[in-house]
């Protein structure tokens, strides 16, 4: 069975509380549970990891080199400026799919640029919680 990792970055633990008009009213725990159930239906073993810390996210990505077959990542604000996360993704040579609950391209201009996009195989933006399912579908096909 292929193993996949979902990484939830900074402030995603506040989904359901933080700006529900943008991020929705469901909690991240509910979204994670739905994503894990979907992964299981796809025949994937799935783990979810959350951290507000850039270094912890880098460590988890590096762990994926030997522990996982692919990653779905919502890097939150780190998407726009973390070269450390970008370099960790590039180093592991595993398929990584970038996800954002909101359509980052329809928001503030600083959110339009993703420094991790060039080292990800693709991205899903603006579909809310469904984005995780779409990313897992794609990852299952790639694996």
């Amino acid at each position: 069975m292929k193993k996949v990792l979902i990484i939830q970055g900074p402030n995603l633990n506040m989904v359901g509380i933080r700006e529900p008009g943008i991020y929705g009213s469901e909690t991240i725990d509910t979204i994670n549970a739905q994503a894990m159930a979907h992964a299981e239906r796809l025949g994937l073993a799935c783990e979810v990891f959350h951290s507000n810390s850039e270094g912890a996210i880098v460590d988890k990505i590096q762990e994926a080199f030997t522990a996982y077959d692919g990653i779905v990542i919502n890097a939150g604000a780190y998407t726009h400026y973390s070269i450390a996360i970008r370099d960790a993704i590039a180093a592991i040579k595993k398929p990584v799919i970038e996800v954002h609950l909101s359509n980052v391209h329809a928001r503030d201009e600083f959110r339009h640029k993703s420094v991790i996009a060039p080292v990800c195989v693709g991205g899903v933006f603006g579909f809310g919680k469904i984005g995780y399912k779409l990313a897992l579908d794609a990852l299952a096909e790639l694996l």
Side-chain angles (χ1 to χ4, degrees):
M1 180 177 275
K2 299 291 185 178
K3 292 176 62 177
V4 299
L5 175 65
I6 297 174
I7 297 176
Q8 302 285 19
N11 295 311
L12 287 159
N13 57 311
M14 300 299 289
V15 168
I17 299 166
R18 174 186 174 217
E19 301 179 271
I22 295 173
Y23 300 108
S25 58
E26 287 189 78
T27 67
I28 199 64
D29 290 336
T30 300
I31 293 169
N32 288 339
Q34 292 170 359
M36 290 180 72
H38 187 69
E40 186 176 325
R41 286 190 296 276
L42 294 170
L44 301 170
C46 182
E47 179 184 331
V48 175
F49 173 79
H50 166 262
S51 182
N52 290 317
S53 169
E54 182 180 30
I57 293 169
V58 168
D59 289 343
K60 196 66 174 179
I61 293 167
Q62 290 177 354
E63 179 186 322
F65 180 68
T66 57
Y68 301 95
D69 298 295
I71 298 174
V72 171
I73 186 169
N74 185 336
Y78 291 136
T79 298
H80 314 295
Y81 66 88
S82 178
I83 303 304
I85 291 173
R86 181 239 176 262
D87 288 351
I89 292 169
I92 64 166
K93 296 183 175 39
K94 303 277 179 156
V96 177
I97 299 175
E98 180 181 357
V99 171
H100 295 284
L101 293 165
S102 67
N103 180 353
V104 292
H105 302 288
R107 297 186 61 202
D108 313 282
E109 189 174 331
F110 72 87
R111 298 182 196 275
H112 297 181
K113 173 73 173 162
S114 167
V115 299
I116 67 171
V119 293
C120 291
V121 296
V124 181
F125 317 101
F127 294 101
K129 68 179 185 176
I130 298 167
Y132 292 97
K133 292 179 181 179
L134 295 170
L136 288 165
D137 288 342
L139 201 52
E141 287 291 322
L142 292 169
L143 297 174

